[in-house]
Amino acid sequence: MRFGFTEDQQRFRAHVREALRSPEVRAAAAEATGADGVEPDARPLYRLLGRLGLLAVHWPAEYGGSGRPPTDAAIVAEELVRAGVPDTFHVNTVQIVGQFLLMAGTEEQKLRYLPAMARGESFASVLYTEPDAASDLGALRAVARPEGDGYRITGTKVFSLKTRFVDLGLCAARTTPGAGKYQGISLFLVDMTDPGVTVSVIPGIGDEHFHRVDLDAVPVPGGDLIGPRDGGWPLLNEALAVERTGLDYHLKAERWFGTALDALLDEGPDAAHEEHLERIGRWHGALTTDHVLCWEVLTGLADGRVDQLAAAVAKYHSSELAQSVAAWAVGVPTPRQRADRTPEALVLDSAHREAPGLTLSAGTSEVMLQIVTAAFDSLGQEEH
């Protein structure tokens, strides 16, 4: 387990931090930040970050990256959030879909799609969850029917973010219906601009909007099948473990905690906040622990280890912590700060509306606990 960073990582972090402090980046980040239920288009900001070479630093150079270690990508992710950059495009496009292509895509697919993602010129989302299926991907009903050298996908997906802005969807569909709950599933890259794709907003309270995606016989070339036909379930399991580092949830919790502290400090040196001191100490300790858990998963991935148990623990702890921090922090701004709509009050109001979904995305807390329980049950059986 690691508790610090190397000199090279510290130098790299300083370089990233300096680039993100430029007036151009700060202005673009402010324009891309949603508030009061309004979700702006963050793509201009990401095109700027792409020109700075900050989106996919760990990808090989032939795919648009800088060939740096995977842990440096986590350093970038940390500094993006700390600089006020909305992170959903980065999480979905680079950390999830792009990483999935690196893991399971063909060389032709990588060369065709990854460089544009690294430049901030192409964006992607995940199309897994379906109505009434919750987090059980084995219950999906979308069907990909063979047609010529390709397929046509029909089905409905829900709860994806930024979907009205993206070019590609990583879609799970059944290529062999009736083969079994976790058999006969394949993964595809879907062109989200196709006329058969309809994207609509799901009403909600967050500043980022969830979407419903209806796929009506959407054509997908055979070259956009990711991995083997009917071999999607093992890939999904591995991809979800890679996705569940917990870092993105930790960074939200860290930002909301820091914003709450700023709101307390804005009351002036004479303000008394003894009622918050114990809670502040506990949150600080929990955040420190959470950061270690996340980096334990990240360093394992950098060494080629996909530990589903460690990932489930990190995802559970970080998402539950972020939700709890948000519930506490929303009560920190005073009535005056709320009435004046200070920046701190706006951030924490948004956090309170976003936080309930964190324990659902990338697998619910209940699913994470099931993974942990199954791992310990298996360990107990081996000991006997």
Side-chain angles (χ1 to χ4, degrees):
M1 183 169 287
R2 57 171 299 155
F3 294 95
F5 295 93
T6 66
E7 290 185 6
D8 182 65
Q9 288 172 328
Q10 291 171 342
R11 284 193 296 269
F12 180 68
R13 187 184 295 277
H15 163 73
V16 173
R17 192 171 290 174
E18 181 179 1
L20 294 174
R21 283 176 177 161
S22 74
E24 188 179 11
V25 172
R26 289 188 175 193
E31 288 289 327
T33 300
D36 297 327
V38 177
E39 184 179 35
D41 185 353
R43 287 176 294 184
L45 166 63
Y46 273 81
R47 284 191 281 271
L48 172 59
L49 296 174
R51 291 197 296 272
L52 293 173
L54 293 178
L55 294 182
V57 297
H58 63 304
W59 292 359
E62 60 266 32
Y63 306 140
S66 303
R68 298 192 65 88
T71 46
D72 283 358
I75 289 173
V76 171
E78 290 184 345
E79 294 306 320
L80 287 175
V81 173
R82 290 166 182 169
V85 172
D87 68 340
T88 303
F89 271 145
H90 191 253
V91 171
N92 286 350
T93 301
V94 176
Q95 297 179 34
I96 298 179
V97 178
Q99 195 64 35
F100 190 92
L101 275 172
L102 279 176
M103 179 182 74
T106 66
E107 184 67 12
E108 189 276 332
Q109 289 167 340
K110 295 174 187 177
L111 291 172
R112 180 153 45 109
Y113 291 115
L114 292 180
M117 293 180 183
R119 293 193 300 266
E121 296 172 359
S122 179
F123 300 90
S125 188
V126 172
L127 303 178
Y128 293 164
T129 304
E130 297 186 1
D132 303 321
S135 291
D136 184 4
L137 294 180
L140 67 85
R141 292 179 290 181
V143 175
R145 302 189 186 283
E147 182 179 272
D149 294 332
Y151 301 83
R152 283 191 179 269
I153 299 180
T154 298
T156 298
K157 303 291 181 175
V158 291
F159 301 132
S160 56
L161 291 169
K162 300 293 185 189
T163 316
R164 64 192 178 98
F165 299 115
V166 306
D167 311 284
L168 296 168
L170 178 59
C171 180
R174 293 197 177 276
T175 36
T176 307
K181 187 172 183 179
Y182 300 111
Q183 289 75 45
I185 296 173
S186 299
L187 295 161
F188 302 88
L189 282 178
V190 173
D191 180 358
M192 298 297 287
T193 67
D194 188 90
V197 178
T198 301
V199 179
S200 55
V201 173
I202 298 174
I205 61 175
D207 292 329
E208 286 192 309
H209 300 154
F210 286 114
H211 296 90
R212 173 189 173 107
V213 179
D214 290 296
L215 306 167
D216 183 12
V218 177
V220 179
D224 284 334
L225 170 68
I226 309 297
R229 174 174 169 163
D230 292 343
W233 183 248
L235 293 177
L236 280 171
N237 270 332
E238 185 173 356
L240 286 169
V242 170
E243 179 183 342
R244 293 168 180 159
T245 66
L247 183 64
D248 46 341
Y249 305 100
H250 169 83
L251 292 171
K252 291 179 188 295
E254 179 188 77
R255 183 185 182 218
W256 297 339
F257 177 68
T259 302
L261 294 185
D262 289 342
L264 291 172
L265 291 173
D266 283 349
E267 286 296 288
D270 297 328
H273 297 299
E274 286 83 359
E275 73 274 18
H276 291 297
L277 290 180
E278 180 183 357
R279 179 51 61 188
I280 288 170
R282 290 182 180 277
W283 287 140
H284 185 269
L287 283 164
T288 301
T289 301
D290 196 55
H291 196 238
V292 172
L293 286 173
C294 295
W295 272 89
E296 181 72 4
V297 177
L298 289 163
T299 51
L301 292 174
D303 292 337
R305 302 191 310 272
V306 179
D307 187 334
Q308 294 199 22
L309 174 59
V313 170
K315 196 278 171 180
Y316 174 83
H317 189 274
S318 59
S319 61
E320 291 284 343
L321 176 62
Q323 190 175 91
S324 298
V325 168
W328 165 75
V330 75
V332 167
T334 64
R336 176 192 61 78
Q337 290 171 320
R338 292 194 189 93
D340 292 345
R341 297 175 64 76
T342 63
E344 292 83 7
L346 289 174
V347 168
L348 296 180
D349 176 66
S350 177
H352 188 60
R353 289 182 281 115
E354 179 183 0
L358 300 185
T359 57
L360 301 176
S361 60
T364 66
S365 289
E366 290 76 14
V367 170
M368 298 305 100
L369 292 174
Q370 288 172 5
I371 293 172
V372 173
T373 301
F376 278 101
D377 286 346
S378 176
L379 181 62
Q381 292 173 2
E382 290 177 2
E383 290 178 348
H384 287 85

